[in-house]
Amino acid sequence: MVIRTFWFVVFAASCAAVAWVGSVEAASARRPNFLFVLADNLGKDWIGCYGADGGHTPQIDQLAASGVRFERCYTTAYCSTTRVELLTGRYGFRTGWTTHHDAAIYGGGGLDPQREKTFAHLLRSAGYATCITGKWQVNDLYAEPDALARHGFDEHLVWTGAMVGQGTADERYQASLSAGRALESRYWDPVVFRNGERMELRGKFGPDVYLEYLEEFMTRHRDESFLAYYATPLVHVPTVTTPLSPNAAAPEREQFVGMLSYLDQQIGRLVETLDRLGLRENTVLVFVTDNGSPARLGGSIAGVPVRGGLGTLVESGIDVPLIVNCPGRIPSGQVSKALVDCSDFLPTLLELAQVGLPHDIALDGRSFARLLTGGETAPRSWIFTEYAHERVVRDQRYKLFSSGKLYDLVDDPSEKMDLASSVVPEMIAVRNRLQAVLDGLPPDAKLPFEPRSQSAFKLRGN
């Protein structure tokens, strides 16, 4: 009986392996679809599969269990700088976006499609249908209503983050100085642009509107290759009620948890939609966040509170969750220690789509497509980020700031012991090696405008 059971298990496992290989071969015969989900201001300290307490993310955790969870993914410290880097595959020192700039709030300039090409632009040029929904803050759509089309998106339904009022972002900002600042809503009663048309959606919850638009786009394009980019505003403050957590009197942290749970529910709904449309096996679903959690709303891991790192270059601010899932192409249950940063998304999507890299653009990203499918690839030896005048480079263990601070992230993950002055030969060698990386990077390019954001104003002392 034991022998018979053993061979039955072997036979079942073999059948499962053959079935998976067969599904991979079938999916590989077509170009993959992409469903790219970018969450807002959410660190590992809230995601269960990264050890977070509370059990708030069962759908995201299941996505990781049936796909690839990356342990090391660097973004930048703020929203706009991360978004420009992941869209373009280029570090801030090339694009000039080294400091947070809220184009939709303050005006002054935006992401220029004449200067930069996004992954949407390159995929659309290769025949993909492209769509973005959710948050877009790197252009003032009141002044540039065709910006998203020029960046490569066939269709859009987005909240821009503009201030309440009339005119361009700059005119709204100037008017707000005396009247008080208030943003158009991204959550309840959202104000959005749908393919260039401004709409006020009374009685609606923004994340529902964005998700429904994305589902409708995927349904219409189910028989062709598509890129569906959901830049969800969840879980950015201000905290709000949701249809599943309607208590307006709840404390801020409780509302934040409700927003996180709603984001998780939306991830589950997107997976169900892909299943219903018969697209699950051939759709690469990417879940990543733009930076860490707000300091006052940090979660906890294994019972230890984590201070959120939003706006800083500590690990809780820039080392974020990254999960990639596609049952027909990517083996399940993988945990990767490979070094990835947000410049790597553009070349990865292009390689998966079998689209060549542009020859006239200096890219910093490196594709991790083969890591997803189990192939061989030369691993990155370092990843990089910067904010304003400070740069950071790290390898699998050590992290060096351009200011000279050096940390051992294995023995000192909270970055409390600066090893900059260490005379231990090993530390001197580490410092010299990482410093050589920093020394080899070019100076920051200049934007044709001064960044405008609360962070930028503070850095300039105004």
Side-chain angles (χ1 to χ4, degrees):
M1 178 63 70
V2 172
I3 294 175
R4 183 176 300 171
T5 302
F6 169 79
W7 284 112
F8 175 79
V9 170
V10 170
F11 175 75
S14 300
C15 290
V18 169
W20 186 83
V21 170
S23 68
V24 169
E25 291 175 347
S28 298
R30 308 183 306 277
R31 294 194 301 180
N33 305 311
F34 298 110
L35 174 53
F36 196 105
V37 181
L38 179 68
D40 203 349
N41 291 3
L42 177 63
K44 292 178 176 177
D45 42 301
W46 285 103
I47 308 297
C49 59
Y50 285 95
D53 302 316
H56 303 301
T57 58
Q59 301 297 333
I60 296 172
D61 298 342
Q62 178 56 37
L63 203 66
S66 58
V68 185
R69 175 172 65 83
F70 285 83
E71 293 195 340
R72 299 178 180 90
C73 176
Y74 260 21
T75 62
T76 74
Y78 281 100
C79 304
S80 68
T81 46
T82 290
R83 289 160 197 270
V84 169
E85 185 175 320
L86 74 85
L87 282 165
T88 65
R90 287 155 52 85
Y91 290 139
F93 58 67
R94 295 198 196 278
T95 64
W97 286 72
T98 60
T99 303
H100 183 41
H101 173 61
D102 268 315
I105 298 179
Y106 304 105
L111 182 62
D112 185 354
Q114 293 295 108
R115 288 167 54 106
E116 303 295 337
K117 293 291 183 282
T118 70
F119 57 61
H121 177 98
L122 297 169
L123 288 172
R124 185 177 68 180
S125 296
Y128 272 70
T130 58
C131 171
I132 179 173
T133 186
K135 173 179 173 179
W136 184 267
Q137 68 180 141
V138 294
N139 291 95
D140 172 14
L141 296 191
Y142 286 95
E144 303 177 80
D146 63 342
L148 284 164
R150 296 173 66 207
H151 282 306
F153 293 101
D154 295 321
E155 304 177 38
H156 66 265
L157 188 151
V158 297
W159 171 81
T160 71
M163 288 186 170
V164 172
Q166 301 294 323
T168 66
D170 185 66
E171 292 166 340
R172 290 161 178 256
Y173 168 58
Q174 295 301 329
S176 78
L177 293 178
S178 57
R181 295 187 175 95
L183 295 182
E184 293 178 334
S185 177
R186 76 196 82 182
Y187 292 124
W188 290 104
D189 304 323
V191 179
V192 299
F193 276 77
R194 176 171 180 159
N195 298 327
E197 178 187 0
R198 182 181 182 274
M199 305 173 70
E200 297 183 18
L201 304 178
R202 300 295 179 186
K204 302 287 188 180
F205 186 54
D208 287 344
V209 174
Y210 313 135
L211 192 67
E212 289 165 8
Y213 186 79
L214 203 69
E215 290 175 320
E216 192 269 339
F217 169 83
M218 292 191 295
T219 300
R220 281 190 289 109
H221 294 279
R222 63 190 297 178
D223 295 324
E224 56 187 304
S225 300
F226 64 74
L227 162 70
Y229 178 23
Y230 181 22
T232 174
L234 293 165
V235 290
H236 197 292
V237 296
T239 59
V240 296
T241 62
T242 78
L244 297 179
S245 52
N247 182 10
E252 182 183 41
R253 177 168 286 266
E254 184 177 326
Q255 287 196 354
F256 184 85
V257 169
M259 294 164 69
L260 174 61
S261 296
Y262 206 79
L263 169 63
D264 187 69
Q265 180 261 351
Q266 287 204 320
I267 296 298
R269 177 170 158 179
L270 283 170
V271 171
E272 291 174 358
T273 298
L274 292 175
D275 281 331
R276 175 173 52 81
L277 295 175
L279 299 174
R280 183 86 166 90
E281 296 293 307
N282 196 43
T283 300
V284 177
L285 198 166
V286 179
F287 175 84
V288 67
T289 75
D290 61 0
N291 44 247
S293 311
R296 68 182 185 276
L297 293 172
S300 65
I301 294 178
V304 178
V306 175
R307 180 176 174 79
L310 167 62
T312 73
L313 293 176
V314 300
E315 291 297 282
S316 61
I318 57 177
D319 186 15
V320 302
L322 169 59
I323 297 165
V324 186
N325 185 292
C326 182
R329 292 174 177 268
I330 299 172
S332 67
Q334 299 182 75
V335 177
S336 176
K337 296 182 181 296
L339 299 173
V340 172
D341 66 37
C342 60
S343 72
D344 296 333
F345 292 116
L346 181 147
T348 300
L349 297 186
L350 293 188
E351 182 174 351
L352 289 170
Q354 302 176 34
V355 175
L357 295 177
H359 298 297
D360 58 342
I361 301 173
L363 295 177
D364 296 296
R366 292 178 55 180
S367 173
F368 56 88
R370 296 181 191 178
L371 289 174
L372 300 174
T373 57
E376 294 294 328
T377 187
R380 267 184 175 271
S381 57
W382 53 268
I383 47 178
F384 170 83
T385 191
E386 68 178 312
Y387 191 71
H389 304 300
E390 186 145 38
R391 295 180 170 187
V392 171
V393 64
R394 72 158 288 181
D395 61 16
Q396 288 284 1
R397 180 163 186 167
Y398 297 100
K399 175 181 183 179
L400 179 68
F401 288 74
S402 55
S403 62
K405 294 181 292 185
L406 176 67
Y407 296 100
D408 180 340
L409 297 176
V410 173
D411 291 342
D412 180 27
S414 299
E415 301 170 70
K416 294 180 178 178
M417 185 178 298
D418 184 1
L419 301 174
S421 60
S422 173
V423 295
V424 176
E426 179 186 356
M427 290 300 99
I428 294 174
V430 167
R431 184 167 58 246
N432 290 342
R433 174 168 49 80
L434 294 179
Q435 187 63 52
V437 173
L438 290 176
D439 291 344
L441 300 176
D444 291 340
K446 298 297 183 183
L447 286 172
F449 55 85
E450 272 197 320
R452 297 183 180 186
S453 65
Q454 290 303 306
S455 172
F457 298 150
K458 184 177 180 180
L459 288 167
R460 292 199 293 269
N462 59 8

